[in-house]
Amino acid sequence: MPEFPGFPADFFGFFEDLARNNHRDWFNDHRRRYQDSVLAPVSAFIVDMAPLLSKISRHFIADPRPQGGSMFRVRRDTRFSDDKTAYKTHTGIQFRHEAGKDAHTLSFYVHLAPDGLRYGGGIWRPPAPQLSRIRDYMADNTRAWARISQAKKVLDVGGVRGSSLKCAPRGFNPEHVHIEDLKRKSLYVMAEGSPAAALEPDFTARVDEAFRRAGPLNRFLGKALELPF
């Protein structure tokens, strides 16, 4: 059984303080705190999630390294953004499919922020060729998609979600039974929770349950993209 005791209280305390002091000097002065309160527990969480994830699918990677692994870096990429804030005030953990190279691949995901938690799975803004394949597969497999999107355990957490086009994508019937999902630019199933949940020793079990809920969606998307699950 997983032994992760839950995130320390200062995990969210660090990000609350960072939000008020979001500049390099403060971060450098508190780097040891970041390592102890954020990096170390995130790595431990990833290690304990690995065997649970492998029972869902052995094709998703749980890599606890702070650089190049499953956790997103805290430093923001501001090169192409008007927002020059230096650091993220949350942690993202992405268990990517082994075939993926970046954040836009099939994955299971955990988002930890002082204002709330999200955890589940799906795909976020895939490149146009991949999104086109997903839409074609969905349009051709309406019953299979209905079983996933209308499952009670999926509807209980808000259904399949993701940002959408305003109109039907080119080449698709606006009257298609799944047109609202065909419009989506991302597709995911996410549970939500309060930050307090992440401090409890059963947090890995909560995340495992959410990953299993999102498993059929990821299996469907994997078939659309010809990826093993």
Side-chain angles (χ1 to χ4, degrees), residues 5-224:
F7 287 89
D10 192 49
F11 179 88
F12 295 111
F14 175 85
F15 286 115
E16 289 171 340
D17 290 346
L18 177 59
R20 293 188 290 267
N21 303 276
N22 203 322
H23 53 80
R24 183 177 298 179
D25 289 344
W26 186 91
F27 188 87
N28 287 338
D29 288 344
H30 294 79
R31 186 174 295 276
R32 180 58 184 269
R33 181 185 172 195
Y34 171 68
Q35 293 170 343
D36 292 344
S37 296
V38 179
L39 283 187
V42 169
S43 292
F45 170 74
I46 293 170
V47 168
D48 271 12
M49 282 302 304
L52 299 175
L53 184 63
S54 68
K55 292 180 181 179
I56 299 172
S57 171
R58 61 184 178 85
H59 297 286
F60 292 81
I61 307 301
D63 185 341
R65 292 177 300 161
Q67 300 290 333
S70 298
M71 69 179 81
F72 285 105
R73 64 180 186 175
V74 69
R75 181 82 184 186
R76 294 184 64 251
D77 184 352
T78 61
R79 291 174 298 170
F80 309 108
S81 174
D82 293 332
D83 180 1
K84 299 303 180 183
T85 304
Y87 299 100
K88 301 170 187 174
T89 55
H90 67 271
T91 288
I93 305 167
Q94 186 181 40
F95 301 96
R96 296 175 186 166
H97 192 278
E98 62 190 5
K101 301 297 183 183
D102 57 30
H104 306 283
T105 192
L106 187 63
S107 67
F108 293 94
Y109 179 72
V110 178
H111 181 94
L112 302 156
D115 62 351
L117 314 176
R118 300 195 304 274
Y119 32 90
I123 194 165
W124 181 71
R125 291 185 176 270
Q130 293 184 18
L131 183 56
S132 179
R133 290 171 66 181
I134 290 169
R135 285 170 171 162
D136 286 341
Y137 192 77
M138 187 189 301
D140 293 340
N141 294 272
T142 57
R143 290 184 179 178
W145 180 251
R147 284 195 297 271
I148 292 168
S149 62
Q150 297 304 307
K152 182 179 184 302
K153 62 183 179 180
V154 170
L155 296 177
D156 284 347
V157 294
V160 177
R161 291 180 278 173
S163 59
S164 299
L165 300 171
K166 292 182 179 179
C167 302
R170 182 176 299 177
F172 290 89
N173 182 356
E175 302 301 320
H176 192 282
V177 64
H178 297 312
I179 192 59
E180 294 306 316
D181 288 329
L182 288 167
K183 291 179 183 179
R184 297 193 188 279
K185 296 180 285 185
S186 302
L187 298 112
Y188 51 80
V189 173
M190 289 283 170
E192 298 180 355
S194 69
L199 310 184
E200 299 298 327
D202 68 346
F203 184 59
T204 50
R206 290 174 184 250
V207 174
D208 179 48
E209 180 183 7
F211 283 7
R212 290 181 180 278
R213 183 185 294 112
L217 170 64
N218 275 0
R219 182 185 295 275
F220 183 95
L221 297 174
K223 287 182 178 179

